[in-house]
Amino acid sequence: YFDSGITKSYAFRKDQLQKLKQAILSHEQELYDALYADLKKSPEECWVTELGMVLSELDFIIKNLRRWMEPERVATNLLNLPSASKVMKEPLGVVLIIGPWNYPFQLLINPLLGAIAAGNCVVLKPSEFALATSAVMKKLIEEIFAPEYILYVEGDGAEIVPQMMSHFVFDHLFYTGST
């Protein structure tokens, strides 16, 4: 899916981010209920530490995405004058994001925002210790994204992650947690 080049355009990235925002808003109460079931977080704590942070980040990314994607002019060394130099920002490819149990929504979805904004495909591995939150996130992700673009993989991290690492090539890994 990544090799098709579909994830590279501004329009595609912005559309995916907007779809994600709408899905989060439409599943807001389910997320509050799940975070309470898993971690006994109140709606206020959920907003401050999970959903509010993600939605704020989403708005910031959508607002700045076009500018971030533009080539950046940089100085040209004397050897290459007269010419112009630019940094071209390109997606990495396929990213694995592994989420922890203590902030199961925010620390899985915030890195997803950056990966989408950068034009990558993603494999999401939520914590197996926040099952209610994981179930809502799975529903949310699978409603809006094709599995070849954003794949949601559940299970015991100690078993699943080593298998994925030995059978697939990831261009980047994002993990917050212990060893």
Side-chain angles (χ1 to χ4, degrees):
Y1 194 82
F2 176 76
D3 289 340
S4 74
I6 194 168
T7 65
K8 288 188 173 190
S9 77
Y10 167 76
F12 178 84
R13 297 179 200 189
K14 182 178 178 187
D15 183 54
Q16 302 313 303
L17 292 165
Q18 288 173 326
K19 283 181 185 176
L20 182 55
K21 180 179 180 179
Q22 289 310 310
I24 292 168
L25 292 172
S26 69
H27 292 281
E28 186 174 357
Q29 188 58 53
E30 290 174 77
L31 287 163
Y32 288 148
D33 295 343
L35 287 162
Y36 182 81
D38 288 333
L39 299 165
K40 302 296 184 239
K41 289 187 177 189
S42 68
E44 296 79 15
E45 183 180 2
C46 291
W47 178 256
V48 170
T49 64
E50 304 263 5
L51 278 74
M53 292 180 74
V54 168
L55 291 169
S56 176
E57 186 79 8
L58 249 170
D59 288 340
F60 183 76
I61 290 170
I62 291 168
K63 179 181 175 185
N64 292 285
L65 182 60
R66 184 180 300 277
R67 183 175 50 84
W68 291 344
M69 290 178 66
E70 291 173 359
E72 181 183 342
R73 289 190 64 123
V74 293
T76 302
N77 63 35
L78 288 172
L79 182 62
N80 291 313
L81 288 175
S83 65
S85 299
K86 294 180 182 178
V87 173
M88 306 297 288
K89 298 162 187 162
E90 294 288 330
L92 292 171
V94 180
V95 176
L96 172 61
I97 301 170
I98 304 169
W101 64 271
N102 56 344
Y103 294 95
F105 180 76
Q106 188 252 119
L107 289 178
L108 190 72
I109 302 301
N110 252 0
L112 173 62
L113 305 179
I116 291 171
N120 297 296
C121 290
V122 180
V123 175
L124 291 171
K125 167 52 185 94
S127 173
E128 63 272 24
F129 300 111
L131 293 175
T133 307
S134 179
V136 175
M137 290 189 299
K138 177 182 172 121
K139 183 167 90 171
L140 187 151
I141 294 297
E142 291 181 350
E143 273 179 16
I144 56 175
F145 298 122
E148 8 347 296
Y149 175 47
I150 310 287
L151 179 65
Y152 197 87
V153 178
E154 294 178 293
D156 181 359
E159 292 178 24
I160 301 250
V161 173
Q163 289 177 16
M164 286 192 297
M165 297 300 287
S166 64
H167 291 94
F168 301 101
V169 175
F170 295 102
D171 300 293
H172 193 70
L173 173 67
F174 186 96
Y175 175 62
T176 300
S178 67
T179 56

